[in-house]
Structures are given as structure tokens and as C-alpha cells.
Amino acid sequence: MSATGQVSRFGWEHFHHDADIGVRGWGRSIAEAFEQAAMGLTRIVTFSPIAADTQVDVECHQSDLELLFVDWLDAVICEMATRKMLFGCFAVGTDGRTLKGALSGEPIDVARHAPACEPKGATLTALKVTRDGDGIWCAQCVIDV
Amino acid sequence: MDPASFTRIGPVIWRIEPTGAMRVPVIIFADEELIRGMDERVGEQARNVATLPGIVSASFAMPDAHWGYGFPIGGVAAFDPEEGGVVSAGGVGFDISCGVRTMLASLSVKDILPVQEALADSLFRQIPVGIGSRGKITLDDAGMDAMLLGGARWAAEQGWGEERDLERIEEGGCMDCARPDFVSDRAKDRQRREMGTLGSGNHYLEVQAVAQIFDEKAAAAYGLRPDGVVVTIHCGSRGLGHQIGSEFLKEMASTASQAGIILPDRELACAPIKSELGERYLGAMRAGINCALANREILGHFSRRVFAEYFPGESLELLFDVSHNTCKLETHEVDGKRRELFVHRKGATRSLGAGNPSLPRVFHAVGQPVLIGGSMGTSSYVLAGEPTSEEAFSSACHGAGRAMSRHAALKQWSGRQIVDELAARGILVRSPSSRGVAEEAPGAYKDVEAVVLAAEQAGLARRVARMRPLICIKG
């Protein structure tokens, strides 16, 4: 069982928090880091495969990039909760203040997905959106579960 | 944390003097071992809370404190609106009014054992639990607003609860000054089909046996007797509370500097109580409290229906229902002066001592029941609030607190292993998620007995009874 999804220069991982779970995504662009972090968010719930049967579109607006990241994860959490769905494929477009995202997934199947804990919301704890010297973007925060 | 970094002012009371931007000291209630087990960030977060405008007396941390977001979990802080005091969405938490209710069965353990398996299965079938579960109730717009205004009183009026429960619920089951119009459509949509659902993570429904009585007078007043049976439910305001918390956290973070608030860390996002945003959050948060009170009342109703199938006439009388993620306007005496303060309790339980005028009449003589959740395999406790808890704005601990992250727990245990080990000890676990059970392994939590003992030694609340689990329904 893995708590990372690293492939070359993009991927996701969970990081330590006492009561909750940190998610970190990284990639060659802000959009890719955000997409990978959303994948890490889904992996808080299930490690099972998720079919990309249905697409849901979301839009976020915030005053800065870090809050936009939190808003993006909150949008995914809200769609999961309201539609009772899990999403396993994400496409993000962003200018740093506005984000348009496409989430692809399927209704939760309790027997097949065996969902663990429920994400309640993205927090501002350990919140960072940064770029390293190699140009790789990293986006992370703690998710309240 | 290193105990040497604090001033010890009693066997279980530690202090950090104000330095830098801190306006008040930090007071931590814990024994030395609990202090050593706390993450360094508990102290850091408690110190950060001490810098917030309008904070009164001290920034407190309870014996079960652990690293939270903004405020530590187990944090208590009171703010004076007349001194620029603030309200913080992170200081309440995403699961607004998450709390515990305990209901008393007229049964003994020997009555449960012959039907323990069947009862566990029935509760698991009848109580919507875990991600993807759907409630049996769908609210339209008018029903949603009525619920957000009425709380448990609304649930009882709808037939999903009992009028007689209300005096045994904080605020009489209905939080005043709730403003459903300050709750977003998105939050309401998220809740529309979640009434009467338990949730997941550390939320649970347990059938418990009264294993030990510490205070016979209080136990008698509470209706607890040796070998008796209780049903305890731990959950909160579900998706509605989570959405309110998420939305206001971001709004407070992006506007704090405009309000002249200098935050040592952005996660302390807050707004002046006397501001449009502060008042809007308080109205929405109070609606969230009503959602949690209604939700636990409905879950109690479902539990009663299941018990009545096995034990006709069993009414599961409510002992008490108390929240541990709130911000409430309360009157407290500070330096001999009575003041109206907004008290944040994030993972902390109100703990009113005997004679407190805010107590429900039935608890005047012994103090308010303080309900402390354990984990699936460890004890839970009923404590009684002590008048001396007024030192910490009448607050006490709320649970064991995690000792290990979910990730670490998952590496150490499997869900099957936990279920089998607990079954061998006579504890039946029912959950839709094996991984969820592993993440919630009893070994991932601190020693709840050390926590309640520290609370007792600190004069926050005294032990009345210890319960051990018989059945655990887990999300």
C-alpha cells in the first residue's frame, strides 16, 4: 500500500499531521501541481481505481495563489460530498487568481472503493505553493478529515 | 514538547510567559508525560493564539491538546468584543459543534450479550455511516432553514426526537441567533441529504458498558450504575459545518490585514467580532451548531428505534449532549469582574461546575456531564464539571487525542487485525472501511486515562464513570 504517487517530475504524497493528513502535489506547472494534489486528496479516501465516467466542472477565484489552491481542493471536496462521487482524473487551467478545473470520476461504490475517512476541508496549515530551482512547482496543505 | 521550556506552576499546570507579540500567557493542563508526548507545534499554536486581539486571561491548552490548524486541538481562548476581540473560523474548526451525546439504557450487560452480534448488525444497517452513505431525510429549502433555526427542537417537532431530551442538550437543543441566511447555498446543498448521518474518521456510535464508578453521588444523579449500558454518539454538523468553516476560513484569511489584524500565521485567520464579517460568521456558525444538535438528536432517534426492536419499551433516555467545537457568548468572572466574552473551544468541552446558573436544572447539584470519547478499544469517560474549571472559562478536555498520524497507523495495523483483536476482547466493530478502522486503531490514540486524570487533578472536571465498548459502529 502506497501513500505516494510519484512519477518522474510530477506526483503526489501525503505528509504527517497529528490528527489530519497533509497532501502535497508537484509538477512542471502550477496546474500540474494542483492536479496532483487533488489526486492525493482522493487517495485520502481510497486507493482503489476510479473510472472517469462523469465530468464535473468547477471554477475558483481568490486573491492569491495559495488561497486559490485551498479553494481548488475545497471545490473538489464539495463536489465529492454533494454528488457522492470520487474523482480520479483532474485537468486544471489557471492564471494564478482564477482556476477552471475539470474533475472526472464515478459515483462512490462502497463495496469497491471501501472509502476511508472523509475530507472535511482544506486548511491553511502547512500551506505553500512554491517553485524550486529546477522549475518544479509544489502545492501543499493539511486536509481536515 | 520539552517540559523544561515551561514554568511549572502545579503538578499538572504549565505556563509560558508572554513574550514578543503575546498579549497573555499560555496555560497548559497536563502531566509531564502528556507534555512530553505533545508535538512542539501545540506550544507554538497556543502562543500564536495568545497574540490575537482582545484575548482575555490566557491561551489555554487541555490535557488532550494536539497539533491542529491555527488553534491547537484542545485549545480554549476567550475574546472581549469591547477590546477589539476576534472570532476565528479555525478556532471553532470545520466540524462545527462536533460533540458527544450519551443515552442511558435500562439494561444490563447480560441483556446485551445474547443479542450483541445481531444488535451490532442492525445498528450498522440503520445508521447511515461512512462516505457515500445517504441519510433517510431530504430537506427542501424551507425545511433546511427551519432545521438551521431550530436545532434539536426542530428534530423533535418533526418526530425525529423527543421533547423531553431538550433540557439535556446544551442551549436547550436550540442555539439562539442562528442566521440561515448567512449560510451559503453550497453549504445547504452539501447538507440536503446528510441529516441523520454519522460521518467517518473519528466519529462513531458505541454501545458501552459502565465498567467503573468513581463518584457514586454524581453517577446516581446521571443515572449511571455498575454494569449498566449506554449508547454514545460522536459526530457533528456534517457537510454543512465543513462548508461554512471552509468558506469563512478563506474569507477571514484574505481580509484580516484590511481589518488591521496582524497574524503570526495565516492559519489563525479571524475577524473582529464587531465587524460585518465577524457577525456573519457567528450567525452562520450558530446555524451550524443547530445542524449538529439536530443531527445527533436524529441519530439518537434511529438508535432508539433499533433498541426497541430488541428490547420493547426501551427508551434510551438522554443523559446529555455536549459539543466540543464551538464559539459561544458567555459570562465569566475575570479578576473579580463579570464580562461577556466569546469563548472558543476547539476540541474542548464546556465543563460547568455545580451551582452554575447556566446549568440545566437537572445537573445543578453535581455539575454538568462532560462526555469524553475514547477510541474503539479503550475506555470512554463521563466526568462532572468542577467550579474550579472557571479558571479556564469552564472548560475541560474532549477525548484521548491522537498520538500517531493516520499514515503511521496504516503502516502499523490492518483493519482486519484490529476488528479481530477487538472481537476477541468482546468488542464488535462494524465499519464499511477496513482502512478507516486501521487509521482509527486504538493504539493510534493517547492514553485517555492519563488525560482524564490530568483534567481531574487540574480541577477542570472530576471522574464519575468509566465505560468500556461492547459495539462500535465506525465510519
Side-chain angles (χ1 to χ4, degrees):
Chain A
M1 191 177 293
S2 168
T4 65
Q6 186 175 359
V7 179
S8 183
R9 292 162 72 81
F10 66 94
W12 61 268
E13 67 181 355
H14 294 158
F15 62 89
H16 169 81
H17 184 268
D18 277 3
D20 298 306
I21 301 177
V23 294
R24 180 180 293 132
W26 62 94
R28 290 154 297 195
S29 64
I30 294 170
E32 205 169 80
F34 281 26
E35 291 163 2
Q36 289 300 316
M39 197 63 224
L41 173 67
T42 293
R43 293 306 180 207
I44 289 174
V45 183
T46 184
F47 291 130
S48 300
I50 298 162
D53 291 341
T54 305
Q55 182 177 314
V56 175
D57 296 323
V58 299
E59 199 167 322
C60 307
H61 307 272
Q62 283 294 336
S63 56
D64 67 60
L65 188 57
E66 288 185 342
L67 284 182
L68 188 68
F69 175 60
V70 171
D71 209 19
W72 156 242
L73 295 183
D74 279 341
V76 176
I77 290 168
C78 186
E79 295 299 338
M80 282 167 64
T82 308
R83 297 173 188 271
K84 310 286 182 199
M85 286 181 69
L86 289 169
F87 301 101
C89 186
F90 304 90
V92 166
T94 180
D95 62 6
R97 297 288 182 275
T98 298
L99 178 153
K100 290 187 177 179
L103 330 175
S104 299
E106 61 171 323
I108 294 173
D109 179 332
V110 173
R112 189 157 48 85
H113 295 125
C117 60
E118 176 182 35
K120 295 173 184 168
T123 75
L124 310 185
T125 299
L127 171 61
K128 278 188 218 167
V129 180
T130 55
R131 191 180 192 191
D132 70 14
D134 296 330
I136 298 299
W137 284 90
C138 174
Q140 66 168 55
C141 72
V142 169
I143 305 296
D144 188 10
V145 297
Chain B
M1 298 192 295
D2 181 2
S5 54
F6 305 99
T7 305
R8 191 169 198 165
I9 55 176
V12 290
I13 305 178
W14 309 73
R15 181 181 169 105
I16 305 173
E17 296 301 334
T19 55
M22 288 170 68
R23 298 166 194 258
V24 292
V26 168
I27 304 284
I28 303 175
F29 301 100
D31 65 24
E32 195 166 330
E33 198 58 33
L34 287 168
I35 288 275
R36 285 187 196 283
M38 288 178 190
D39 192 293
E40 290 295 335
R41 279 161 288 205
V42 173
E44 184 185 318
Q45 290 188 324
R47 280 195 300 273
N48 285 343
V49 170
T51 69
L52 293 176
I55 188 166
V56 174
S57 183
S59 163
F60 295 97
M62 298 292 123
D64 52 339
H66 50 286
W67 179 25
Y69 41 97
F71 283 50
I73 297 167
V76 175
F79 297 87
D80 188 337
E82 303 306 323
E83 294 184 357
V86 295
V87 60
S88 167
V92 171
F94 284 159
D95 199 356
I96 294 168
S97 200
C98 182
V100 182
R101 75 160 31 199
T102 293
M103 305 163 80
L104 306 161
S106 58
L107 309 162
S108 295
V109 175
K110 65 176 171 42
D111 301 314
I112 296 290
L113 295 181
V115 297
Q116 190 179 5
E117 289 272 357
L119 181 61
D121 292 339
S122 293
L123 286 166
F124 186 51
R125 274 196 303 272
Q126 295 300 319
I127 305 290
V129 60
I131 301 180
S133 65
R134 288 185 188 274
K136 298 163 186 170
I137 299 165
T138 302
L139 295 181
D140 60 16
D141 290 346
M144 177 69 69
D145 285 356
M147 180 274 288
L148 296 175
L149 282 171
R153 184 175 299 281
W154 166 86
E157 287 166 0
Q158 300 296 311
W160 293 310
E162 300 294 336
E163 175 78 23
R164 66 178 184 279
D165 290 345
L166 300 177
E167 70 168 341
R168 289 171 174 265
I169 302 174
E170 272 191 306
E171 319 300 337
C174 176
M175 187 76 207
D176 285 340
C177 303
R179 291 291 301 265
D181 51 325
F182 291 163
V183 177
S184 71
D185 289 344
R186 192 176 257 208
K188 291 175 182 175
D189 282 345
R190 202 164 156 181
Q191 189 61 27
R192 212 166 286 285
R193 297 189 65 177
E194 291 211 338
M195 294 310 297
T197 62
L198 191 61
S200 64
N202 63 358
H203 293 171
Y204 61 79
L205 181 150
E206 281 190 352
V207 179
Q208 301 165 333
V210 180
Q212 191 175 4
I213 299 285
F214 299 93
D215 180 331
E216 289 185 6
K217 181 186 167 199
Y222 290 171
L224 296 166
R225 57 191 165 74
D227 222 32
V229 172
V230 302
V231 174
T232 295
I233 296 167
H234 174 218
C235 75
S237 50
R238 308 292 297 115
L240 182 124
H242 308 166
Q243 192 65 28
I244 291 171
S246 299
E247 291 170 1
F248 279 95
L249 184 70
K250 285 173 287 197
E251 191 173 350
M252 287 176 176
S254 61
T255 59
S257 61
Q258 294 161 29
I261 300 170
I262 300 164
L263 297 174
D265 194 315
R266 203 175 192 185
E267 64 185 7
L268 279 166
C270 56
I273 294 162
K274 286 188 164 184
S275 68
E276 187 275 335
L277 175 55
E279 287 176 8
R280 196 152 39 83
Y281 174 69
L282 285 167
M285 187 265 299
R286 288 163 177 155
I289 289 176
N290 280 333
C291 179
L293 298 179
N295 196 44
R296 288 198 291 273
E297 181 69 9
I298 294 168
L299 287 166
H301 176 71
F302 292 161
S303 308
R304 283 171 169 148
R305 284 207 307 220
V306 173
F307 265 71
E309 286 173 22
Y310 290 86
F311 308 104
E314 176 55 61
S315 57
L316 290 183
E317 293 301 310
L318 182 60
L319 165 56
F320 198 52
D321 183 309
V322 63
S323 303
H324 47 236
N325 282 358
T326 59
C327 174
K328 289 185 175 173
L329 177 59
E330 300 173 1
T331 304
H332 290 279
E333 193 168 308
V334 181
D335 298 330
K337 198 171 145 196
R338 292 184 74 71
R339 294 168 70 174
E340 300 282 308
L341 304 173
F342 284 80
V343 182
H344 292 66
R345 295 188 184 87
K346 170 78 180 83
T349 312
R350 190 151 73 176
S351 176
L352 303 174
N356 190 301
S358 302
L359 265 177
R361 182 181 47 80
V362 292
F363 302 125
H364 258 242
V366 288
Q368 174 213 301
V370 176
L371 308 175
I372 306 299
S375 62
M376 289 176 286
T378 60
S379 300
S380 297
Y381 282 82
V382 175
L383 314 181
E386 290 280 34
T388 41
S389 70
E390 181 59 14
E391 288 291 315
F393 301 110
S394 291
S395 306
C397 50
H398 83 308
R402 285 192 80 94
M404 186 186 289
S405 72
R406 291 174 182 279
H407 190 195
L410 210 49
K411 280 184 171 175
Q412 193 154 338
W413 295 286
S414 76
R416 186 74 255 166
Q417 174 193 0
I418 296 294
V419 169
D420 289 345
E421 284 177 9
L422 292 176
R425 291 170 45 199
I427 303 165
L428 303 185
V429 177
R430 297 289 185 271
S431 171
S433 171
S434 180
R435 176 179 160 192
V437 170
E439 290 179 356
E440 286 289 313
Y445 281 84
K446 290 180 193 167
D447 177 3
V448 68
E449 298 186 19
V451 168
V452 297
L453 196 57
E456 182 172 285
Q457 290 172 338
L460 302 175
R462 68 187 185 280
R463 290 169 299 169
V464 174
R466 177 175 68 84
M467 270 77 69
R468 63 181 172 86
L470 297 168
I471 293 170
C472 180
I473 309 299
K474 194 83 176 165

